[in-house]
């Protein structure tokens, strides 16, 4: 049997390839060697896994621990996270209680830390968010920061939100929101209507329902257009249309779509009587009335069964329907009593004092 070519058992040294050729220096992204800052995301309860998945796709984000991570790049990238309520810069001070932040060295470090956030976000005021924020220590801290930052302290609506939080391993974290407004206050939202859907819930619904560029998408009861816009910003699709029976809602959605720079057809049409042919859509996404701000529990008892029947007609054979609702007991009862849909829960999320659920339905 022919012998294998002789080779050394010694490990290859840097600069020497195993074949004897000179190896090139390992290539690394120079940006990963840049000084990094620590950040943390705030999300609606129930959307943690969606935000964690989105965070993992952020280039250069490293040492990710849940929703806390290090990032060396431009913070502007972190303002484009669509499942988060806010992004905070984080720093820990080794002090036993907030009073320790009033020390000369600590107060100087805290001022410098906050000034770096202000340089990015251009906030025009600040406020403190912490347990006991009315205490004398917190009031003194606010006074000191107001003077050092040359920024007015507005306890109720200050733009630079500064949170103080004790850590189990010791010390206190200071978290400073990098944007003057929450990330869920989308820049495209120039028009609001009562009962409008939180944009991060709309984003999460589309992500979990499945994003495909071949989908024909329908948004019945489209309201101010949140579900339409969040999907339009995510990437390609075959077609998308929204309808609402309220002309004011349709005009509101059109205004928001224009602000978002997206062209999507929205019409004043009753979602249950569109006149569209069967199997027109591959994905139907609906935020149904919750029975408080919009609709009543009594009217929903009539609306929901009719909705399920009509959406079954409009959905393609392999299509799916994502439903957001707070009428959980009634909706789950309807699902148990029918034989046309397979259904499973995608998520439950806290929003505005409610715990709505998102369901995904497929034809049986």
């Amino acid at each position: 049997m022919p012998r294998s070519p002789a080779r050394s058992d010694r490990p290859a040294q840097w600069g020497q390839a195993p074949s004897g050729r000179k190896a090139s220096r390992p290539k690394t992204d120079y940006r990963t060697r840049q000084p990094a800052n620590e950040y943390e995301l705030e999300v609606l309860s129930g959307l943690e896994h969606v935000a964690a998945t989105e965070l993992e796709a952020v280039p250069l984000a490293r040492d990710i621990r849940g929703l806390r991570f290090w990032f060396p790049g431009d913070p502007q990238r972190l303002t484009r996270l669509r499942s988060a309520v806010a992004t905070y810069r984080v720093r820990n001070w080794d002090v036993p209680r907030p009073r320790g932040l009033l020390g000369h060295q600590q107060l100087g470090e805290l001022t410098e830390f906050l000034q770096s956030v202000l340089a990015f976000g251009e906030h025009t005021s600040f406020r403190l968010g912490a347990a006991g924020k009315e205490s004398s220590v917190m009031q003194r801290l606010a006074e000191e920061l107001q003077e050092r930052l040359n920024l007015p302290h507005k306890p109720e609506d200050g733009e630079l939100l500064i949170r103080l939080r004790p850590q189990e391993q010791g010390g206190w974290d200071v978290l400073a929101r990098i944007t003057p407004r929450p990330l869920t206050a989308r820049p495209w939202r120039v028009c609001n209507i009562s009962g409008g859907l939180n944009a991060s819930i709309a984003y999460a619904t589309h992500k979990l329902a499945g994003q495909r560029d071949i989908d024909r998408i329908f948004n019945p009861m489209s309201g101010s257009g949140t579900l339409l816009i969040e999907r339009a910003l995510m990437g390609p699709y075959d077609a998308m249309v929204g309808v609402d029976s309220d002309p004011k809602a349709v005009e509101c959605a059109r205004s928001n779509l224009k602000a978002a720079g997206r062209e999507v057809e929205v019409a004043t049409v009753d979602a249950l009587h569109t006149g569209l042919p069967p199997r027109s859509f591959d994905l139907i996404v609906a935020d149904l009335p919750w029975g408080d701000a919009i609709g009543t529990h009594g009217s929903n008892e009539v609306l929901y069964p009719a909705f399920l029947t009509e959406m079954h007609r409009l959905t393609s054979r392999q299509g799916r329907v994502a439903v957001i609702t707070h009428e959980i007991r009634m909706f789950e009862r309807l699902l148990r009593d029918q034989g046309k849909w397979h259904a499973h829960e995608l998520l439950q999320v806290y929003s505005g004092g409610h715990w709505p659920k998102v369901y995904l339905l497929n034809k049986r």
Side-chain angles (χ1 to χ4, degrees):
M1 179 181 294
R3 296 181 61 187
S4 299
R7 60 182 178 86
S8 170
D9 292 329
R10 291 178 298 173
Q13 302 297 315
W14 182 85
Q16 181 72 30
S19 63
R21 298 189 307 273
K22 185 176 180 179
S24 60
R25 183 184 295 271
K27 294 182 179 179
T28 58
D29 190 328
Y30 77 93
R31 293 171 296 178
T32 64
R33 301 194 299 272
Q34 289 181 320
N37 295 307
E38 191 171 16
Y39 296 88
E40 184 171 312
L41 301 183
E42 177 189 355
V43 304
L44 295 178
S45 181
L47 295 189
E48 293 86 354
H49 62 298
V50 179
T53 300
E54 187 181 13
L55 177 58
E56 289 172 359
V58 175
L60 305 183
R62 62 180 189 249
D63 301 325
I64 299 174
R65 302 156 336 271
L67 299 177
R68 193 152 168 165
F69 60 102
W70 290 81
F71 183 71
D74 184 348
Q76 184 65 39
R77 174 62 182 85
L78 304 179
T79 68
R80 301 200 297 270
L81 293 168
R82 311 198 69 78
S83 56
V85 172
T87 303
Y88 292 84
R89 273 276 308 276
V90 185
R91 182 169 170 182
N92 181 268
W93 271 266
D94 187 15
V95 293
R97 55 187 63 88
R99 183 184 298 274
L101 294 171
L102 291 167
H104 178 74
Q105 177 180 338
Q106 290 83 357
L107 194 54
E109 293 171 346
L110 177 59
T111 301
E112 183 179 358
F113 168 72
L114 295 175
Q115 285 174 335
S116 68
V117 178
L118 288 170
F120 169 75
E122 300 182 348
H123 312 68
T124 61
S125 57
F126 78 94
R127 58 187 160 118
L128 299 178
K133 64 180 180 180
E134 304 299 331
S135 68
S136 59
V137 170
M138 289 297 181
Q139 290 178 7
R140 184 182 164 196
L141 182 60
E143 292 170 0
E144 290 284 355
L145 291 176
Q146 182 170 249
E147 180 178 351
R148 287 170 175 261
L149 297 173
N150 192 28
L151 204 66
H153 174 224
K154 295 185 177 180
E156 300 302 322
D157 58 358
E159 290 183 347
L160 174 58
L161 176 55
I162 305 167
R163 298 189 182 277
L164 282 74
R165 188 176 64 197
Q167 284 295 298
E168 292 183 2
Q169 64 270 29
W172 281 72
D173 277 349
V174 176
L175 301 89
R177 192 174 70 190
I178 67 174
T179 53
R181 302 172 66 204
L183 298 180
T184 47
R186 302 289 204 246
W188 53 256
R189 192 178 290 282
V190 296
C191 178
N192 279 297
I193 61 173
S194 178
L197 182 65
N198 183 289
S200 63
I201 298 177
Y203 170 86
T205 298
H206 277 294
K207 274 295 181 185
L208 296 177
Q211 178 184 347
R212 305 187 310 183
D213 58 10
I214 61 172
D215 277 337
R216 298 164 297 163
I217 304 170
F218 181 46
N219 178 204
M221 308 171 208
S222 54
S224 60
T226 305
L227 282 162
L228 294 170
I229 295 169
E230 287 300 306
R231 178 60 185 87
L233 293 171
M234 287 168 65
Y237 50 86
D238 184 68
M240 184 156 60
V241 62
V243 301
D244 200 289
S245 59
D246 183 354
K248 292 182 179 179
V250 171
E251 287 305 312
C252 185
R254 288 172 177 167
S255 296
N256 287 332
L257 282 160
K258 182 178 180 180
R262 294 296 184 270
E263 294 186 7
V264 177
E265 182 181 357
V266 188
T268 306
V269 175
D270 184 342
L272 303 184
H273 301 91
T274 61
L276 293 168
R279 299 190 293 276
S280 291
F281 301 103
D282 307 300
L283 172 63
I284 296 175
V285 186
D287 177 25
L288 295 183
W290 294 5
D292 46 15
I294 299 176
T296 66
H297 298 298
S299 62
N300 285 345
E301 287 281 359
V302 177
L303 171 66
Y304 276 49
F307 169 85
L308 288 174
T309 297
E310 178 62 6
M311 295 310 110
H312 191 275
R313 187 184 74 84
L314 290 177
T315 306
S316 62
R317 296 184 190 278
Q318 302 300 319
R320 59 226 192 270
V321 176
V323 175
I324 306 165
T325 180
H326 194 256
E327 292 274 24
I328 295 171
R329 290 185 179 178
M330 182 189 73
F331 192 65
E332 292 186 347
R333 170 172 52 80
L334 289 172
L335 292 175
R336 286 194 303 269
D337 294 344
Q338 56 81 42
K340 294 183 176 181
W341 297 103
H342 290 290
H344 70 274
E345 179 185 322
L346 289 179
L347 62 89
Q348 185 170 25
V349 59
Y350 180 78
S351 178
H354 296 83
W355 282 93
K357 286 186 177 183
V358 182
Y359 301 85
L360 188 66
L361 283 57
N362 300 93
K363 284 185 172 181
R364 289 184 182 273

